[in-house]
Amino acid sequence: MSTATAAKPQARQPGKRSRRMPLPVLLLVIAGVLVLTSVVRLITGADGITSTGQMSTALELAVPIGLAGLGGLWAERAGVVNIGLEGMMILGTWFGAWAGYQWGPWTGVVFGIIGGALGAVLHAIATVTFNVNHIVSGVALNILALGATRYLSKFTFENAPQGSSKQSPPIDSLGDFSIPGLTDWLDTLNSKHWFLVSDIGGLLGGLVTDLSPLTVIAVALVPLSWWVLWRTAFGLRLRSCGENPVAAESLGVNVYKYKYIAVIISGGFAGLGGAFLSIVASNVYLDGQTAGRGYIGLAAMIFGNWMPGGLALGAGLFGYTDSLNLRGGTVNVHALILLLAILLVFGAAYLAWKKKYVPAVITVVIAALMFLWYATTNEVPRQLVTATPYIVTLLVLSLSAQSLRMPKADGMPYRKGQGK
């Protein structure tokens, strides 16, 4: 009797933690948000919120966040929490710039990946071999990477032409390209400011305008990671190490090996994101260039429920909010306050439908305050625009926390043979 009772909650638990939004529902939600955005654009006259330039900038800013998040995905699917993504990105920016200005940008990209992977090796040795707490190891790596790159810059870049202790010499560009004909047509469509059609034109136009080859590679890595992790035997073994390493070991999987591989790949992705910052987003290495993007990448991964597609959506959201800061975003952010208020109304209706009346009332009150804020102001303070990416990060994580399902053994210590 007691055994059956004890087994009952365990049987229910996976069902509780494995809730995922079906793809048709997700596409319907995205389409609904796009329609509401178009309505808000027409009401406010803030045409910049869906302009081709805004979307192109958002894509460029989303790439390093997405690469960091993709790195976190690989590590955590193998059971290793990678708070050290920020440090690995820092190493990627420095090594990418150091090699890039001497031997060319593509060499810089390769060295950026190597730099991030070197940081990942340290994290793997600490967490996998010596069972150091994953959070402690990651934070230590972030501090070490920051100090090491500042020290290296003093005698590497300081005496170089056009360099200093906080900046590398300029790096040659990888170049960029647009799709002939399609880019101009979508830009013209966007400039018409028609309902929904122009917004779709701006969104698609941003995806095919002034693309760096590295952007194309980064975007392609998302479906490639999904295919490797969910459609190959290698991916199945790797994910089993993050779900139940003892069971994986009993089936002959070398858990240590797969954890090392996953963390090193994770560091390579983060290093590639860092190289993107110093070679594509800017043509120089700057001290503090990552600006917390490793942490935001981790947030994008969590928002995406440890799945590549959701991660890409999270990176796009954070990249878009970051782009508002670069393109005169005070008016655009003010328009987005109205969009957020409308979305909160829909959220309150959904909560009421689920009979969660107290959260529904709280959501309605917040929505009313947002409407009041929009109605009584014409623009938002510049400081709020600068803080928007970080505010959105906190909001998204707090709102999505209830439906997340992390790998079961993520961050848990593991010793070879512990199941015997």
Side-chain angles (χ1 to χ4, degrees):
M1 187 81 171
S2 60
T3 308
T5 308
K8 236 179 178 180
Q10 291 182 352
R12 283 199 201 111
Q13 192 67 13
K16 269 188 179 179
R17 298 183 60 190
S18 60
R19 289 176 296 177
R20 260 187 215 143
M21 187 178 290
L23 182 60
V25 176
L26 178 61
L27 293 176
L28 190 62
V29 170
I30 293 171
V33 171
L34 188 57
V35 169
L36 286 177
T37 303
S38 186
V39 170
V40 167
R41 178 182 61 79
L42 291 174
I43 292 172
T44 62
D47 295 322
I49 60 176
T50 57
S51 68
T52 301
Q54 188 79 58
M55 297 303 176
S56 179
T57 304
L59 176 62
E60 184 176 291
L61 292 170
V63 166
I65 295 172
L67 286 170
L70 206 56
L73 173 73
W74 274 80
E76 300 210 9
R77 278 294 174 181
V80 180
V81 175
N82 196 353
I83 297 293
L85 288 169
E86 178 75 7
M88 295 169 197
M89 284 193 82
I90 292 171
L91 292 171
T93 59
W94 191 90
F95 276 94
W98 172 72
Y101 92 89
Q102 296 181 89
W103 303 303
W106 284 111
T107 306
V109 170
V110 173
F111 271 78
I113 295 171
I114 293 171
L118 287 175
V121 169
L122 293 177
H123 187 53
I125 291 172
T127 57
V128 179
T129 302
F130 294 105
N131 261 339
V132 174
N133 182 278
H134 298 197
I135 307 297
V136 172
S137 174
V139 171
L141 178 61
N142 293 339
I143 296 169
L144 176 63
L146 187 61
T149 52
R150 285 180 177 174
Y151 172 73
L152 291 170
S153 296
K154 285 185 178 180
F155 65 84
T156 305
F157 297 145
E158 195 167 32
N159 299 321
Q162 303 181 59
S164 69
S165 61
K166 294 187 176 182
Q167 178 179 316
S168 73
I171 306 161
D172 291 337
S173 172
L174 289 171
D176 55 51
F177 66 94
S178 301
I179 299 178
L182 180 60
T183 300
D184 294 334
W185 179 69
L186 289 171
D187 191 42
T188 302
L189 193 64
N190 179 245
S191 65
K192 300 291 186 182
H193 306 312
W194 294 331
F195 172 70
L196 192 58
V197 176
S198 292
D199 301 288
I200 294 173
L203 174 61
L204 297 178
L207 301 179
V208 297
T209 302
D210 297 333
L211 292 175
S212 165
L214 201 55
T215 301
V216 178
I217 292 171
V219 171
L221 286 172
V222 175
L224 179 62
S225 292
W226 173 83
W227 181 80
V228 171
L229 289 173
W230 274 270
R231 288 295 182 268
T232 66
F234 168 81
L236 177 61
R237 295 188 189 103
L238 188 147
R239 288 186 293 114
S240 70
C241 296
E243 293 292 339
N244 194 331
V246 174
E249 183 189 354
S250 70
L251 295 172
V253 176
N254 188 333
V255 176
Y256 279 9
K257 182 182 82 172
Y258 278 90
K259 283 180 180 286
Y260 262 91
I261 290 172
V263 175
I264 291 169
I265 291 173
S266 171
F269 279 137
L272 180 59
F276 185 94
L277 287 172
S278 59
I279 297 172
V280 177
S282 169
N283 68 333
V284 293
Y285 161 80
L286 295 169
D287 187 30
Q289 194 166 30
T290 56
R293 285 181 175 86
Y295 299 113
I296 297 177
L298 201 63
M301 177 205 69
I302 296 170
F303 166 79
N305 210 3
W306 287 265
M307 294 293 291
L311 181 156
L313 286 176
L317 173 63
F318 298 138
Y320 178 78
T321 55
D322 202 7
S323 71
L324 295 171
N325 188 34
L326 297 180
R327 298 182 61 87
T330 54
V331 175
N332 291 340
V333 172
H334 184 255
L336 291 176
I337 290 173
L338 178 60
L339 175 61
L340 180 59
I342 295 171
L343 290 174
L344 285 172
V345 170
F346 279 98
Y350 175 76
L351 289 170
W353 178 65
K354 286 283 189 179
K355 298 183 179 179
K356 297 179 179 179
Y357 299 115
V358 174
V361 171
I362 294 172
T363 305
V364 167
V365 171
I366 295 172
L369 291 174
M370 298 295 286
F371 277 119
L372 182 63
W373 184 9
Y374 172 78
T376 55
T377 58
N378 293 319
E379 60 180 33
V380 297
R382 184 70 196 177
Q383 294 86 346
L384 180 63
V385 178
T386 304
T388 296
Y390 308 101
I391 295 172
V392 169
T393 301
L394 292 172
L395 285 174
V396 164
L397 289 181
S398 61
L399 293 173
S400 62
Q402 299 301 316
S403 59
L404 298 179
R405 186 222 178 268
M406 66 189 295
K408 290 180 182 177
D410 195 14
M412 294 175 62
Y414 166 78
R415 285 288 185 191
K416 188 175 182 180
Q418 71 180 34
K420 295 179 181 178

